Amino acid sequence: MIFFVLILLALLGWLSLVMVGLFAIVGFQDGVFWVVSTAMISAAVGVVLAKDIFKAALCLVATFLLMAGLFVLLSAEFLAVVQVLVYVGAVSILIVFSVLLTRSMAEKRPSIPLQVVAATLSTLLMLLIIIAVSSTDWVVIGPDLGDTRLGLIEEVLGDTPQFISGMLLNKWVVPFEAASVLLLAAILGALVLIREQRDES
Amino acid sequence: MNLERLLILSAILFAIGLYGALTRRNAVAVLMALEIMFSAVNLAFIASSRYIVPSSLRVDSFIPSTETVQSLLTGQIFAIFIIAVSAAEIALGLAIIMVVYKNRDSIDVSELNSLNR
């Protein structure tokens, strides 16, 4: 027991040493980005490949939490809070409950041709997107915009909830109402689907 | 921490989710892979809204105000709508899965082919 604790402590110390070194080399933001993105990719692979469906659900929770961390890094704090509330709080609970309610069956592995076709399809799509992204000439926010505009951008990005609420209720009010109607329809549909069928007699 | 890196990360996540959605046979696992794809698209939207200059800011002739600058946040608005839609999708999808499980005692998606007969 003590032995395992010691090994765990050594591993943690080694990991933090590596992370401190990484942060010192590439800077804090880049270091956080690399750590979070590698962890997120491995968690997503875990969701896709884990045989046990409950472990896959736990990996999904990890993916959502890391995604919220990335949102904070992108100065979208409101979205990070919404991500934690909706995905980690609600969607994951729903998924875990349905995993528990549908008795876990021994999932057969998919056939080899299907795996090959799916792997080639998704790899091709990924390569296509990567080529398109890296060959596009993006106009990104930089010092060439001038100080007044950069100051305004800082102001907007520093207080996103205020501006998001203003935009949602002015310019985007019709999609906002449509989304609320969609959620209502989804709630009613789920209730009707899941309701116990009672005999009329 | 620049735009290309984030978009490539989102592409990788989307591909992982696509592979899972095509190969998993448990219906709940297929829904989980779909959620990964939704998250990848969200990440792309938010990265774009953080880094790309909106066209209203590029015009040199007029003085920008907070009203024009806040169009920077359109990507985040889109992400909010995606989150709402995916919440509705997961609720309905899980309800359908529960009904299928009650009726057929299995949620293997490769066995759900009764429309085929």
Side-chain angles (χ1 to χ4, degrees), chain A residues 30 47-48 50 75 87 103 107 139-141 149 152 163-164 167 193-194, chain B residues 1 5 24-26 35 39 50-51 53 57 59 64 70 76 86 98-99 101:
Chain A
D30 281 6
V47 174
V48 170
S75 68
Y87 279 116
R103 204 178 329 111
E107 195 181 1
V139 185
V140 293
I141 294 172
R149 292 173 191 204
L152 282 171
F163 291 104
I164 285 179
M167 283 175 81
L193 274 176
I194 212 73
Chain B
M1 205 56 203
R5 247 188 243 167
R24 291 306 288 251
R25 299 181 68 168
N26 191 328
E35 288 301 312
S39 297
R50 172 70 180 79
Y51 285 106
V53 185
L57 271 183
V59 186
Q70 73 182 4
Q76 299 197 13
S86 83
M98 296 308 297
V99 173
Y101 182 73

PDB file of all heavy atoms in Angstrom, chain A residues 30 47-48 50 75 87 103 107 139-141 149 152 163-164 167 193-194, chain B residues 1 5 24-26 35 39 50-51 53 57 59 64 70 76 86 98-99 101:
ATOM      1  N   ASP A  30       0.549  28.549 -23.878  1.00  0.00           N
ATOM      2  CA  ASP A  30       0.839  27.443 -24.790  1.00  0.00           C
ATOM      3  C   ASP A  30       0.998  26.135 -24.035  1.00  0.00           C
ATOM      4  O   ASP A  30       0.540  25.081 -24.493  1.00  0.00           O
ATOM      5  CB  ASP A  30       2.106  27.742 -25.592  1.00  0.00           C
ATOM      6  CG  ASP A  30       1.808  28.700 -26.721  1.00  0.00           C
ATOM      7  OD1 ASP A  30       0.663  29.181 -26.773  1.00  0.00           O
ATOM      8  OD2 ASP A  30       2.706  28.961 -27.533  1.00  0.00           O
ATOM      9  N   VAL A  47     -13.276   7.435 -25.044  1.00  0.00           N
ATOM     10  CA  VAL A  47     -14.726   7.323 -25.259  1.00  0.00           C
ATOM     11  C   VAL A  47     -15.019   6.382 -26.414  1.00  0.00           C
ATOM     12  O   VAL A  47     -15.910   5.543 -26.356  1.00  0.00           O
ATOM     13  CB  VAL A  47     -15.343   8.714 -25.550  1.00  0.00           C
ATOM     14  CG1 VAL A  47     -16.804   8.579 -25.908  1.00  0.00           C
ATOM     15  CG2 VAL A  47     -15.186   9.626 -24.371  1.00  0.00           C
ATOM     16  N   VAL A  48     -14.230   6.517 -27.486  1.00  0.00           N
ATOM     17  CA  VAL A  48     -14.542   5.755 -28.698  1.00  0.00           C
ATOM     18  C   VAL A  48     -14.141   4.290 -28.556  1.00  0.00           C
ATOM     19  O   VAL A  48     -14.837   3.414 -29.048  1.00  0.00           O
ATOM     20  CB  VAL A  48     -13.847   6.420 -29.897  1.00  0.00           C
ATOM     21  CG1 VAL A  48     -13.918   5.555 -31.113  1.00  0.00           C
ATOM     22  CG2 VAL A  48     -14.497   7.750 -30.184  1.00  0.00           C
ATOM     23  N   ALA A  50     -13.221   2.474 -25.527  1.00  0.00           N
ATOM     24  CA  ALA A  50     -13.379   1.717 -24.288  1.00  0.00           C
ATOM     25  C   ALA A  50     -14.445   0.640 -24.454  1.00  0.00           C
ATOM     26  O   ALA A  50     -15.525   0.904 -24.972  1.00  0.00           O
ATOM     27  CB  ALA A  50     -13.752   2.658 -23.155  1.00  0.00           C
ATOM     28  N   SER A  75     -10.973  32.960 -23.479  1.00  0.00           N
ATOM     29  CA  SER A  75     -11.720  34.087 -22.907  1.00  0.00           C
ATOM     30  C   SER A  75     -13.204  34.001 -23.241  1.00  0.00           C
ATOM     31  O   SER A  75     -13.837  34.975 -23.586  1.00  0.00           O
ATOM     32  CB  SER A  75     -11.150  35.436 -23.316  1.00  0.00           C
ATOM     33  OG  SER A  75     -11.346  35.679 -24.677  1.00  0.00           O
ATOM     34  N   TYR A  87     -23.366  20.177 -20.035  1.00  0.00           N
ATOM     35  CA  TYR A  87     -22.793  18.896 -20.426  1.00  0.00           C
ATOM     36  C   TYR A  87     -22.417  18.045 -19.217  1.00  0.00           C
ATOM     37  O   TYR A  87     -22.872  16.921 -19.063  1.00  0.00           O
ATOM     38  CB  TYR A  87     -21.571  19.117 -21.314  1.00  0.00           C
ATOM     39  CG  TYR A  87     -21.933  19.389 -22.741  1.00  0.00           C
ATOM     40  CD1 TYR A  87     -21.642  20.595 -23.345  1.00  0.00           C
ATOM     41  CD2 TYR A  87     -22.589  18.433 -23.483  1.00  0.00           C
ATOM     42  CE1 TYR A  87     -21.978  20.838 -24.648  1.00  0.00           C
ATOM     43  CE2 TYR A  87     -22.937  18.667 -24.782  1.00  0.00           C
ATOM     44  CZ  TYR A  87     -22.623  19.878 -25.368  1.00  0.00           C
ATOM     45  OH  TYR A  87     -22.970  20.111 -26.656  1.00  0.00           O
ATOM     46  N   ARG A 103     -29.380  -2.675 -19.444  1.00  0.00           N
ATOM     47  CA  ARG A 103     -28.403  -3.609 -18.898  1.00  0.00           C
ATOM     48  C   ARG A 103     -27.205  -3.699 -19.833  1.00  0.00           C
ATOM     49  O   ARG A 103     -27.343  -3.856 -21.046  1.00  0.00           O
ATOM     50  CB  ARG A 103     -29.049  -4.981 -18.730  1.00  0.00           C
ATOM     51  CG  ARG A 103     -28.368  -5.823 -17.685  1.00  0.00           C
ATOM     52  CD  ARG A 103     -29.080  -7.162 -17.518  1.00  0.00           C
ATOM     53  NE  ARG A 103     -30.509  -7.102 -17.762  1.00  0.00           N
ATOM     54  CZ  ARG A 103     -31.103  -7.668 -18.813  1.00  0.00           C
ATOM     55  NH1 ARG A 103     -30.387  -8.286 -19.702  1.00  0.00           N
ATOM     56  NH2 ARG A 103     -32.402  -7.603 -18.950  1.00  0.00           N
ATOM     57  N   GLU A 107     -20.522  -5.857 -25.612  1.00  0.00           N
ATOM     58  CA  GLU A 107     -20.563  -5.252 -26.941  1.00  0.00           C
ATOM     59  C   GLU A 107     -19.613  -5.994 -27.858  1.00  0.00           C
ATOM     60  O   GLU A 107     -18.421  -6.113 -27.568  1.00  0.00           O
ATOM     61  CB  GLU A 107     -20.165  -3.783 -26.833  1.00  0.00           C
ATOM     62  CG  GLU A 107     -20.518  -3.003 -28.081  1.00  0.00           C
ATOM     63  CD  GLU A 107     -20.090  -1.562 -27.952  1.00  0.00           C
ATOM     64  OE1 GLU A 107     -19.522  -1.204 -26.922  1.00  0.00           O
ATOM     65  OE2 GLU A 107     -20.338  -0.822 -28.916  1.00  0.00           O
ATOM     66  N   VAL A 139      -7.385  36.265 -41.321  1.00  0.00           N
ATOM     67  CA  VAL A 139      -7.191  37.640 -40.845  1.00  0.00           C
ATOM     68  C   VAL A 139      -7.446  37.616 -39.352  1.00  0.00           C
ATOM     69  O   VAL A 139      -8.587  37.653 -38.896  1.00  0.00           O
ATOM     70  CB  VAL A 139      -8.161  38.604 -41.546  1.00  0.00           C
ATOM     71  CG1 VAL A 139      -7.844  40.029 -41.123  1.00  0.00           C
ATOM     72  CG2 VAL A 139      -8.059  38.470 -43.029  1.00  0.00           C
ATOM     73  N   VAL A 140      -6.361  37.523 -38.567  1.00  0.00           N
ATOM     74  CA  VAL A 140      -6.541  37.379 -37.130  1.00  0.00           C
ATOM     75  C   VAL A 140      -6.302  38.716 -36.442  1.00  0.00           C
ATOM     76  O   VAL A 140      -5.743  39.648 -37.018  1.00  0.00           O
ATOM     77  CB  VAL A 140      -5.590  36.312 -36.548  1.00  0.00           C
ATOM     78  CG1 VAL A 140      -5.954  34.950 -37.041  1.00  0.00           C
ATOM     79  CG2 VAL A 140      -4.169  36.655 -36.883  1.00  0.00           C
ATOM     80  N   ILE A 141      -6.782  38.774 -35.188  1.00  0.00           N
ATOM     81  CA  ILE A 141      -6.632  39.986 -34.393  1.00  0.00           C
ATOM     82  C   ILE A 141      -5.163  40.176 -34.050  1.00  0.00           C
ATOM     83  O   ILE A 141      -4.537  39.305 -33.460  1.00  0.00           O
ATOM     84  CB  ILE A 141      -7.475  39.884 -33.111  1.00  0.00           C
ATOM     85  CG1 ILE A 141      -8.947  39.852 -33.473  1.00  0.00           C
ATOM     86  CG2 ILE A 141      -7.188  41.041 -32.182  1.00  0.00           C
ATOM     87  CD1 ILE A 141      -9.839  39.557 -32.301  1.00  0.00           C
ATOM     88  N   ARG A 149      -9.252  50.085 -31.609  1.00  0.00           N
ATOM     89  CA  ARG A 149      -9.996  48.841 -31.868  1.00  0.00           C
ATOM     90  C   ARG A 149      -9.571  47.735 -30.926  1.00  0.00           C
ATOM     91  O   ARG A 149     -10.410  46.977 -30.421  1.00  0.00           O
ATOM     92  CB  ARG A 149      -9.784  48.411 -33.312  1.00  0.00           C
ATOM     93  CG  ARG A 149     -10.444  49.389 -34.248  1.00  0.00           C
ATOM     94  CD  ARG A 149     -10.124  49.118 -35.670  1.00  0.00           C
ATOM     95  NE  ARG A 149     -10.576  50.263 -36.458  1.00  0.00           N
ATOM     96  CZ  ARG A 149     -10.879  50.201 -37.726  1.00  0.00           C
ATOM     97  NH1 ARG A 149     -10.775  49.080 -38.354  1.00  0.00           N
ATOM     98  NH2 ARG A 149     -11.282  51.253 -38.354  1.00  0.00           N
ATOM     99  N   LEU A 152     -11.271  48.299 -27.695  1.00  0.00           N
ATOM    100  CA  LEU A 152     -12.687  47.901 -27.729  1.00  0.00           C
ATOM    101  C   LEU A 152     -12.827  46.385 -27.682  1.00  0.00           C
ATOM    102  O   LEU A 152     -13.714  45.850 -27.009  1.00  0.00           O
ATOM    103  CB  LEU A 152     -13.341  48.451 -28.989  1.00  0.00           C
ATOM    104  CG  LEU A 152     -13.708  49.938 -28.934  1.00  0.00           C
ATOM    105  CD1 LEU A 152     -14.148  50.415 -30.292  1.00  0.00           C
ATOM    106  CD2 LEU A 152     -14.819  50.146 -27.932  1.00  0.00           C
ATOM    107  N   PHE A 163     -22.504  41.279 -23.149  1.00  0.00           N
ATOM    108  CA  PHE A 163     -22.692  41.485 -24.588  1.00  0.00           C
ATOM    109  C   PHE A 163     -23.446  40.317 -25.206  1.00  0.00           C
ATOM    110  O   PHE A 163     -24.243  40.501 -26.132  1.00  0.00           O
ATOM    111  CB  PHE A 163     -21.336  41.694 -25.254  1.00  0.00           C
ATOM    112  CG  PHE A 163     -20.709  42.994 -24.879  1.00  0.00           C
ATOM    113  CD1 PHE A 163     -19.674  43.045 -23.978  1.00  0.00           C
ATOM    114  CD2 PHE A 163     -21.185  44.187 -25.410  1.00  0.00           C
ATOM    115  CE1 PHE A 163     -19.111  44.249 -23.612  1.00  0.00           C
ATOM    116  CE2 PHE A 163     -20.631  45.395 -25.043  1.00  0.00           C
ATOM    117  CZ  PHE A 163     -19.593  45.428 -24.144  1.00  0.00           C
ATOM    118  N   ILE A 164     -23.204  39.089 -24.695  1.00  0.00           N
ATOM    119  CA  ILE A 164     -23.933  37.936 -25.245  1.00  0.00           C
ATOM    120  C   ILE A 164     -25.420  38.075 -24.968  1.00  0.00           C
ATOM    121  O   ILE A 164     -26.263  37.834 -25.853  1.00  0.00           O
ATOM    122  CB  ILE A 164     -23.380  36.612 -24.659  1.00  0.00           C
ATOM    123  CG1 ILE A 164     -22.033  36.285 -25.291  1.00  0.00           C
ATOM    124  CG2 ILE A 164     -24.331  35.465 -24.914  1.00  0.00           C
ATOM    125  CD1 ILE A 164     -21.426  35.034 -24.755  1.00  0.00           C
ATOM    126  N   MET A 167     -26.900  40.672 -27.287  1.00  0.00           N
ATOM    127  CA  MET A 167     -27.065  40.217 -28.673  1.00  0.00           C
ATOM    128  C   MET A 167     -28.175  39.181 -28.778  1.00  0.00           C
ATOM    129  O   MET A 167     -28.928  39.167 -29.753  1.00  0.00           O
ATOM    130  CB  MET A 167     -25.756  39.611 -29.173  1.00  0.00           C
ATOM    131  CG  MET A 167     -24.724  40.646 -29.528  1.00  0.00           C
ATOM    132  SD  MET A 167     -23.196  39.877 -29.970  1.00  0.00           S
ATOM    133  CE  MET A 167     -23.525  39.419 -31.646  1.00  0.00           C
ATOM    134  N   LEU A 193     -42.724   9.710 -25.197  1.00  0.00           N
ATOM    135  CA  LEU A 193     -42.078   8.456 -25.576  1.00  0.00           C
ATOM    136  C   LEU A 193     -41.902   7.528 -24.388  1.00  0.00           C
ATOM    137  O   LEU A 193     -42.114   6.327 -24.483  1.00  0.00           O
ATOM    138  CB  LEU A 193     -40.705   8.753 -26.183  1.00  0.00           C
ATOM    139  CG  LEU A 193     -40.653   9.059 -27.661  1.00  0.00           C
ATOM    140  CD1 LEU A 193     -39.247   9.408 -28.054  1.00  0.00           C
ATOM    141  CD2 LEU A 193     -41.114   7.858 -28.447  1.00  0.00           C
ATOM    142  N   ILE A 194     -41.515   8.104 -23.231  1.00  0.00           N
ATOM    143  CA  ILE A 194     -41.064   7.267 -22.119  1.00  0.00           C
ATOM    144  C   ILE A 194     -42.216   6.881 -21.210  1.00  0.00           C
ATOM    145  O   ILE A 194     -42.072   6.015 -20.347  1.00  0.00           O
ATOM    146  CB  ILE A 194     -39.958   8.025 -21.353  1.00  0.00           C
ATOM    147  CG1 ILE A 194     -38.955   7.048 -20.768  1.00  0.00           C
ATOM    148  CG2 ILE A 194     -40.538   8.919 -20.270  1.00  0.00           C
ATOM    149  CD1 ILE A 194     -38.082   6.447 -21.813  1.00  0.00           C
TER     150      ILE A 194
ATOM    151  N   MET B   1      -0.823  29.009 -29.088  1.00  0.00           N
ATOM    152  CA  MET B   1      -2.223  29.377 -28.879  1.00  0.00           C
ATOM    153  C   MET B   1      -2.708  30.212 -30.036  1.00  0.00           C
ATOM    154  O   MET B   1      -3.115  31.354 -29.883  1.00  0.00           O
ATOM    155  CB  MET B   1      -2.287  30.167 -27.562  1.00  0.00           C
ATOM    156  CG  MET B   1      -3.606  30.149 -26.840  1.00  0.00           C
ATOM    157  SD  MET B   1      -4.152  28.530 -26.492  1.00  0.00           S
ATOM    158  CE  MET B   1      -5.892  28.859 -26.348  1.00  0.00           C
ATOM    159  N   ARG B   5      -3.921  26.032 -34.794  1.00  0.00           N
ATOM    160  CA  ARG B   5      -3.782  24.937 -33.847  1.00  0.00           C
ATOM    161  C   ARG B   5      -5.122  24.488 -33.295  1.00  0.00           C
ATOM    162  O   ARG B   5      -5.425  23.300 -33.243  1.00  0.00           O
ATOM    163  CB  ARG B   5      -2.928  25.426 -32.691  1.00  0.00           C
ATOM    164  CG  ARG B   5      -1.602  24.805 -32.561  1.00  0.00           C
ATOM    165  CD  ARG B   5      -1.032  25.288 -31.280  1.00  0.00           C
ATOM    166  NE  ARG B   5       0.158  26.055 -31.495  1.00  0.00           N
ATOM    167  CZ  ARG B   5       0.706  26.796 -30.550  1.00  0.00           C
ATOM    168  NH1 ARG B   5       0.128  26.899 -29.384  1.00  0.00           N
ATOM    169  NH2 ARG B   5       1.806  27.449 -30.787  1.00  0.00           N
ATOM    170  N   ARG B  24     -19.220   2.147 -33.231  1.00  0.00           N
ATOM    171  CA  ARG B  24     -19.781   1.585 -32.000  1.00  0.00           C
ATOM    172  C   ARG B  24     -21.119   0.913 -32.286  1.00  0.00           C
ATOM    173  O   ARG B  24     -21.862   1.345 -33.176  1.00  0.00           O
ATOM    174  CB  ARG B  24     -19.996   2.681 -30.944  1.00  0.00           C
ATOM    175  CG  ARG B  24     -18.747   3.278 -30.370  1.00  0.00           C
ATOM    176  CD  ARG B  24     -17.788   2.279 -29.794  1.00  0.00           C
ATOM    177  NE  ARG B  24     -18.245   1.696 -28.552  1.00  0.00           N
ATOM    178  CZ  ARG B  24     -17.708   1.949 -27.364  1.00  0.00           C
ATOM    179  NH1 ARG B  24     -16.732   2.814 -27.264  1.00  0.00           N
ATOM    180  NH2 ARG B  24     -18.136   1.336 -26.288  1.00  0.00           N
ATOM    181  N   ARG B  25     -21.419  -0.128 -31.517  1.00  0.00           N
ATOM    182  CA  ARG B  25     -22.679  -0.840 -31.748  1.00  0.00           C
ATOM    183  C   ARG B  25     -23.682  -0.596 -30.652  1.00  0.00           C
ATOM    184  O   ARG B  25     -24.869  -0.831 -30.845  1.00  0.00           O
ATOM    185  CB  ARG B  25     -22.400  -2.334 -31.883  1.00  0.00           C
ATOM    186  CG  ARG B  25     -21.491  -2.601 -33.050  1.00  0.00           C
ATOM    187  CD  ARG B  25     -21.238  -4.057 -33.212  1.00  0.00           C
ATOM    188  NE  ARG B  25     -22.416  -4.784 -33.625  1.00  0.00           N
ATOM    189  CZ  ARG B  25     -22.381  -6.025 -34.046  1.00  0.00           C
ATOM    190  NH1 ARG B  25     -21.231  -6.642 -34.097  1.00  0.00           N
ATOM    191  NH2 ARG B  25     -23.480  -6.640 -34.382  1.00  0.00           N
ATOM    192  N   ASN B  26     -23.218  -0.112 -29.491  1.00  0.00           N
ATOM    193  CA  ASN B  26     -24.145   0.261 -28.431  1.00  0.00           C
ATOM    194  C   ASN B  26     -24.712   1.651 -28.752  1.00  0.00           C
ATOM    195  O   ASN B  26     -23.965   2.578 -29.045  1.00  0.00           O
ATOM    196  CB  ASN B  26     -23.372   0.293 -27.113  1.00  0.00           C
ATOM    197  CG  ASN B  26     -24.290   0.400 -25.937  1.00  0.00           C
ATOM    198  OD1 ASN B  26     -25.345   1.000 -26.033  1.00  0.00           O
ATOM    199  ND2 ASN B  26     -23.892  -0.181 -24.824  1.00  0.00           N
ATOM    200  N   GLU B  35     -21.816  13.450 -29.241  1.00  0.00           N
ATOM    201  CA  GLU B  35     -21.555  14.595 -28.355  1.00  0.00           C
ATOM    202  C   GLU B  35     -20.124  15.103 -28.528  1.00  0.00           C
ATOM    203  O   GLU B  35     -19.888  16.313 -28.477  1.00  0.00           O
ATOM    204  CB  GLU B  35     -21.786  14.187 -26.902  1.00  0.00           C
ATOM    205  CG  GLU B  35     -23.243  14.007 -26.549  1.00  0.00           C
ATOM    206  CD  GLU B  35     -24.028  15.274 -26.772  1.00  0.00           C
ATOM    207  OE1 GLU B  35     -23.587  16.327 -26.329  1.00  0.00           O
ATOM    208  OE2 GLU B  35     -25.085  15.193 -27.417  1.00  0.00           O
ATOM    209  N   SER B  39     -19.010  18.903 -29.546  1.00  0.00           N
ATOM    210  CA  SER B  39     -18.028  19.690 -28.802  1.00  0.00           C
ATOM    211  C   SER B  39     -16.925  20.199 -29.719  1.00  0.00           C
ATOM    212  O   SER B  39     -16.447  21.329 -29.544  1.00  0.00           O
ATOM    213  CB  SER B  39     -17.413  18.859 -27.693  1.00  0.00           C
ATOM    214  OG  SER B  39     -18.373  18.487 -26.773  1.00  0.00           O
ATOM    215  N   ARG B  50     -12.772  34.127 -31.170  1.00  0.00           N
ATOM    216  CA  ARG B  50     -11.717  34.773 -30.390  1.00  0.00           C
ATOM    217  C   ARG B  50     -10.666  35.409 -31.290  1.00  0.00           C
ATOM    218  O   ARG B  50     -10.106  36.447 -30.954  1.00  0.00           O
ATOM    219  CB  ARG B  50     -11.069  33.735 -29.470  1.00  0.00           C
ATOM    220  CG  ARG B  50      -9.840  34.181 -28.722  1.00  0.00           C
ATOM    221  CD  ARG B  50     -10.175  35.199 -27.658  1.00  0.00           C
ATOM    222  NE  ARG B  50      -8.985  35.635 -26.937  1.00  0.00           N
ATOM    223  CZ  ARG B  50      -8.114  36.509 -27.389  1.00  0.00           C
ATOM    224  NH1 ARG B  50      -8.291  37.034 -28.580  1.00  0.00           N
ATOM    225  NH2 ARG B  50      -7.066  36.851 -26.673  1.00  0.00           N
ATOM    226  N   TYR B  51     -10.396  34.803 -32.461  1.00  0.00           N
ATOM    227  CA  TYR B  51      -9.218  35.228 -33.220  1.00  0.00           C
ATOM    228  C   TYR B  51      -9.527  35.966 -34.518  1.00  0.00           C
ATOM    229  O   TYR B  51      -8.738  36.779 -34.959  1.00  0.00           O
ATOM    230  CB  TYR B  51      -8.334  34.021 -33.532  1.00  0.00           C
ATOM    231  CG  TYR B  51      -7.567  33.552 -32.344  1.00  0.00           C
ATOM    232  CD1 TYR B  51      -7.915  32.397 -31.675  1.00  0.00           C
ATOM    233  CD2 TYR B  51      -6.499  34.289 -31.859  1.00  0.00           C
ATOM    234  CE1 TYR B  51      -7.219  31.978 -30.560  1.00  0.00           C
ATOM    235  CE2 TYR B  51      -5.808  33.881 -30.751  1.00  0.00           C
ATOM    236  CZ  TYR B  51      -6.162  32.730 -30.110  1.00  0.00           C
ATOM    237  OH  TYR B  51      -5.482  32.333 -29.008  1.00  0.00           O
ATOM    238  N   VAL B  53     -10.930  38.570 -37.145  1.00  0.00           N
ATOM    239  CA  VAL B  53     -11.436  39.939 -37.116  1.00  0.00           C
ATOM    240  C   VAL B  53     -12.731  39.998 -37.910  1.00  0.00           C
ATOM    241  O   VAL B  53     -12.757  39.613 -39.077  1.00  0.00           O
ATOM    242  CB  VAL B  53     -10.413  40.896 -37.739  1.00  0.00           C
ATOM    243  CG1 VAL B  53     -10.885  42.327 -37.586  1.00  0.00           C
ATOM    244  CG2 VAL B  53      -9.074  40.717 -37.102  1.00  0.00           C
ATOM    245  N   LEU B  57     -15.005  45.419 -38.469  1.00  0.00           N
ATOM    246  CA  LEU B  57     -13.846  46.087 -37.866  1.00  0.00           C
ATOM    247  C   LEU B  57     -12.767  46.389 -38.888  1.00  0.00           C
ATOM    248  O   LEU B  57     -11.863  47.171 -38.624  1.00  0.00           O
ATOM    249  CB  LEU B  57     -13.243  45.198 -36.780  1.00  0.00           C
ATOM    250  CG  LEU B  57     -13.802  45.365 -35.381  1.00  0.00           C
ATOM    251  CD1 LEU B  57     -13.068  44.480 -34.427  1.00  0.00           C
ATOM    252  CD2 LEU B  57     -13.666  46.799 -34.952  1.00  0.00           C
ATOM    253  N   VAL B  59     -13.148  47.750 -41.915  1.00  0.00           N
ATOM    254  CA  VAL B  59     -13.353  48.966 -42.697  1.00  0.00           C
ATOM    255  C   VAL B  59     -12.671  50.121 -41.981  1.00  0.00           C
ATOM    256  O   VAL B  59     -12.907  50.359 -40.801  1.00  0.00           O
ATOM    257  CB  VAL B  59     -14.858  49.239 -42.861  1.00  0.00           C
ATOM    258  CG1 VAL B  59     -15.074  50.398 -43.789  1.00  0.00           C
ATOM    259  CG2 VAL B  59     -15.549  48.005 -43.362  1.00  0.00           C
ATOM    260  N   PRO B  64     -15.046  52.482 -34.989  1.00  0.00           N
ATOM    261  CA  PRO B  64     -15.776  51.369 -34.386  1.00  0.00           C
ATOM    262  C   PRO B  64     -16.269  51.715 -32.981  1.00  0.00           C
ATOM    263  O   PRO B  64     -15.622  52.444 -32.242  1.00  0.00           O
ATOM    264  CB  PRO B  64     -14.737  50.259 -34.344  1.00  0.00           C
ATOM    265  CG  PRO B  64     -13.446  50.964 -34.326  1.00  0.00           C
ATOM    266  CD  PRO B  64     -13.616  52.217 -35.103  1.00  0.00           C
ATOM    267  N   GLN B  70     -19.080  44.130 -30.861  1.00  0.00           N
ATOM    268  CA  GLN B  70     -19.656  42.959 -30.226  1.00  0.00           C
ATOM    269  C   GLN B  70     -20.094  41.897 -31.239  1.00  0.00           C
ATOM    270  O   GLN B  70     -20.425  40.795 -30.839  1.00  0.00           O
ATOM    271  CB  GLN B  70     -20.834  43.348 -29.344  1.00  0.00           C
ATOM    272  CG  GLN B  70     -22.084  43.734 -30.078  1.00  0.00           C
ATOM    273  CD  GLN B  70     -23.171  44.152 -29.109  1.00  0.00           C
ATOM    274  OE1 GLN B  70     -22.925  44.215 -27.924  1.00  0.00           O
ATOM    275  NE2 GLN B  70     -24.344  44.419 -29.622  1.00  0.00           N
ATOM    276  N   GLN B  76     -19.741  32.782 -30.321  1.00  0.00           N
ATOM    277  CA  GLN B  76     -20.189  32.265 -29.026  1.00  0.00           C
ATOM    278  C   GLN B  76     -21.697  32.091 -28.991  1.00  0.00           C
ATOM    279  O   GLN B  76     -22.212  31.143 -28.385  1.00  0.00           O
ATOM    280  CB  GLN B  76     -19.729  33.199 -27.918  1.00  0.00           C
ATOM    281  CG  GLN B  76     -18.229  33.304 -27.858  1.00  0.00           C
ATOM    282  CD  GLN B  76     -17.745  33.868 -26.549  1.00  0.00           C
ATOM    283  OE1 GLN B  76     -18.483  33.957 -25.600  1.00  0.00           O
ATOM    284  NE2 GLN B  76     -16.488  34.253 -26.522  1.00  0.00           N
ATOM    285  N   SER B  86     -28.043  20.316 -28.934  1.00  0.00           N
ATOM    286  CA  SER B  86     -27.513  19.002 -28.566  1.00  0.00           C
ATOM    287  C   SER B  86     -28.145  18.501 -27.275  1.00  0.00           C
ATOM    288  O   SER B  86     -28.295  17.286 -27.099  1.00  0.00           O
ATOM    289  CB  SER B  86     -25.995  19.043 -28.447  1.00  0.00           C
ATOM    290  OG  SER B  86     -25.624  19.529 -27.191  1.00  0.00           O
ATOM    291  N   MET B  98     -34.439   4.190 -24.650  1.00  0.00           N
ATOM    292  CA  MET B  98     -35.142   3.476 -23.584  1.00  0.00           C
ATOM    293  C   MET B  98     -36.344   2.715 -24.124  1.00  0.00           C
ATOM    294  O   MET B  98     -36.601   1.559 -23.738  1.00  0.00           O
ATOM    295  CB  MET B  98     -35.611   4.447 -22.504  1.00  0.00           C
ATOM    296  CG  MET B  98     -34.519   5.165 -21.757  1.00  0.00           C
ATOM    297  SD  MET B  98     -33.280   4.114 -21.078  1.00  0.00           S
ATOM    298  CE  MET B  98     -34.250   3.179 -19.942  1.00  0.00           C
ATOM    299  N   VAL B  99     -37.105   3.355 -25.052  1.00  0.00           N
ATOM    300  CA  VAL B  99     -38.280   2.678 -25.618  1.00  0.00           C
ATOM    301  C   VAL B  99     -37.856   1.447 -26.411  1.00  0.00           C
ATOM    302  O   VAL B  99     -38.471   0.372 -26.294  1.00  0.00           O
ATOM    303  CB  VAL B  99     -39.079   3.661 -26.494  1.00  0.00           C
ATOM    304  CG1 VAL B  99     -40.182   2.928 -27.217  1.00  0.00           C
ATOM    305  CG2 VAL B  99     -39.648   4.757 -25.645  1.00  0.00           C
ATOM    306  N   TYR B 101     -35.194  -0.300 -25.953  1.00  0.00           N
ATOM    307  CA  TYR B 101     -34.732  -1.323 -25.023  1.00  0.00           C
ATOM    308  C   TYR B 101     -35.909  -2.041 -24.381  1.00  0.00           C
ATOM    309  O   TYR B 101     -35.885  -3.259 -24.174  1.00  0.00           O
ATOM    310  CB  TYR B 101     -33.851  -0.678 -23.949  1.00  0.00           C
ATOM    311  CG  TYR B 101     -33.303  -1.664 -22.978  1.00  0.00           C
ATOM    312  CD1 TYR B 101     -32.292  -2.543 -23.345  1.00  0.00           C
ATOM    313  CD2 TYR B 101     -33.796  -1.734 -21.684  1.00  0.00           C
ATOM    314  CE1 TYR B 101     -31.791  -3.451 -22.461  1.00  0.00           C
ATOM    315  CE2 TYR B 101     -33.295  -2.651 -20.787  1.00  0.00           C
ATOM    316  CZ  TYR B 101     -32.297  -3.502 -21.186  1.00  0.00           C
ATOM    317  OH  TYR B 101     -31.804  -4.408 -20.311  1.00  0.00           O
TER     318      TYR B 101
END
